[in-house]
Amino acid sequence: MTDPAATAENLQNLASLKVERAGHVAEVTLLGPSKGNAMGPDFWRELPLVFRSLDDDPDVRAIVLTGSGAHFSYGLDLPAMLPGWSEYLAGDAQAGPRTKFLAEIRRLQESVGAVAATRKPVIAAVSGWCIGGGVDVIAAADIRLASADAKFSVREVKVAIVADLGSLQRLAGIIGEGHLRELAFTGRDIDAARAEKIGLVNDVYPDQDAVLAAARELANEIAANPPLVVQGVKDVLSVSTEQRVEAGLRYVSAWNAAFLPSKDLGEAVQAFMERRAPQFRGE
């Protein structure tokens, strides 16, 4: 049996996440430290540690996932992550660097996958922006709730990247192929009303306090049920979905390891740094 003290120790001194408990409900809050809770190296290292620890804790029966401040997450922290990827993204990168990049993509996929893999139901409470990697993470949750000011974007196409951390695999079963293709091809932003209409979120609440209160109430309602039965329900619901997701993640990781380095990606990064519109040439 897991030692609760050891589990608690794993959740101390986190840089990007905060974990709190209330009864049988754990609350995980994104902290940044980058603006808008952007997801840098600390986040990708700590996310699986947190969710695996909570999965091992028999006292935790449901999990609320939310963001600190006004926004859930701006997504991948490009300035923090790109320097470590320079070897992989060079236009002349050979098999060695590309193989390392494949492993890096799969490491990030496993971080998000830890949210989906936990046996405890996960409820995402989203306010403000939820972009790119933020959508990957909430797609791995079981239930999504939003405040009226929430905005969502599968934005990777805007920076010359094929989304590879789960949105393209998990959202089809949540919002349907047509809506997913529209969001992924355009990279456009949608508001909470549209997100509710297409089924990305279950319900919309007036503000951040209201959505967080609703998520906590729902988590406590779930936690009041027989925990092993709830976990069994999640396991049964997830079995076919996660098999399909795993196959899709393996394919996209290989695709990006082979094709992600491009002149368009370099242009996207340069335009991001210079705060201008990119000019893509299909190169």
Side-chain angles (χ1 to χ4, degrees):
M1 181 177 291
T2 301
D3 181 356
T7 300
E9 186 177 351
N10 285 342
L11 304 182
Q12 301 301 313
N13 302 315
L14 298 170
S16 68
L17 299 165
K18 178 176 67 175
V19 181
E20 298 177 303
R21 313 285 187 90
H24 291 299
V25 175
E27 191 165 306
V28 179
T29 305
L30 280 64
L31 299 177
S34 296
K35 184 178 179 181
N37 302 321
M39 299 167 170
D42 287 331
F43 174 83
W44 297 110
R45 182 179 65 256
E46 293 175 352
L47 185 68
L49 184 154
V50 165
F51 274 86
R52 288 167 187 161
S53 294
L54 295 177
D55 183 66
D56 285 343
D57 189 338
D59 288 334
V60 174
R61 298 185 181 183
I63 302 168
V64 172
L65 177 62
T66 192
S68 62
H71 304 288
F72 184 81
S73 178
Y74 286 173
L76 188 70
D77 188 346
L78 284 173
M81 299 296 289
L82 284 175
W85 294 349
S86 57
E87 175 191 9
Y88 313 143
L89 300 179
D92 59 351
Q94 299 297 306
R98 289 176 188 266
T99 300
K100 292 178 183 178
F101 191 41
L102 176 64
E104 173 69 359
I105 294 170
R106 289 180 175 171
R107 181 182 72 87
L108 302 187
Q109 289 177 341
E110 289 172 3
S111 292
V112 176
V115 178
T118 181
R119 293 167 294 174
K120 321 301 171 64
V122 179
I123 302 159
V126 181
S127 297
W129 281 108
C130 181
I131 301 170
V135 177
D136 290 314
V137 170
I138 68 164
D142 297 284
I143 299 167
R144 288 151 295 280
L145 308 177
S147 60
D149 70 340
K151 289 177 283 189
F152 303 84
S153 182
V154 183
R155 193 176 290 182
E156 286 84 349
V157 70
K158 296 289 192 183
V159 289
I161 295 174
V162 175
D164 58 9
L165 301 184
S167 291
L168 300 187
Q169 291 72 34
R170 292 189 172 95
L171 286 182
I174 297 170
I175 64 176
E177 286 277 352
H179 292 304
L180 173 56
R181 288 171 188 258
E182 177 187 338
L183 297 183
F185 291 159
T186 64
R188 68 169 51 140
D189 309 329
I190 62 170
D191 61 15
R194 175 79 192 282
E196 183 180 25
K197 182 178 180 180
I198 65 178
L200 179 58
V201 301
N202 288 23
D203 292 293
V204 176
Y205 297 86
D207 54 36
Q208 187 173 34
D209 289 342
V211 71
L212 191 53
R216 290 167 176 164
E217 182 179 356
L218 179 56
N220 278 294
E221 183 179 354
I222 292 169
N225 288 326
L228 297 182
V229 173
V230 171
Q231 292 170 30
V233 170
K234 178 168 180 176
D235 188 41
V236 171
L237 287 172
S238 300
V239 62
S240 60
T241 301
E242 287 306 309
Q243 289 173 354
R244 175 179 53 78
V245 167
E246 176 61 24
L249 289 173
R250 289 187 65 81
Y251 183 85
V252 73
S253 63
W255 198 99
N256 269 354
F259 299 119
L260 184 61
S262 68
K263 290 183 179 179
D264 279 348
L265 177 60
E267 165 64 8
V269 172
Q270 191 67 26
F272 176 81
M273 298 300 183
E274 296 174 359
R275 299 184 180 276
R276 61 173 174 81
Q279 299 295 319
F280 296 129
R281 301 182 184 278
E283 299 176 353

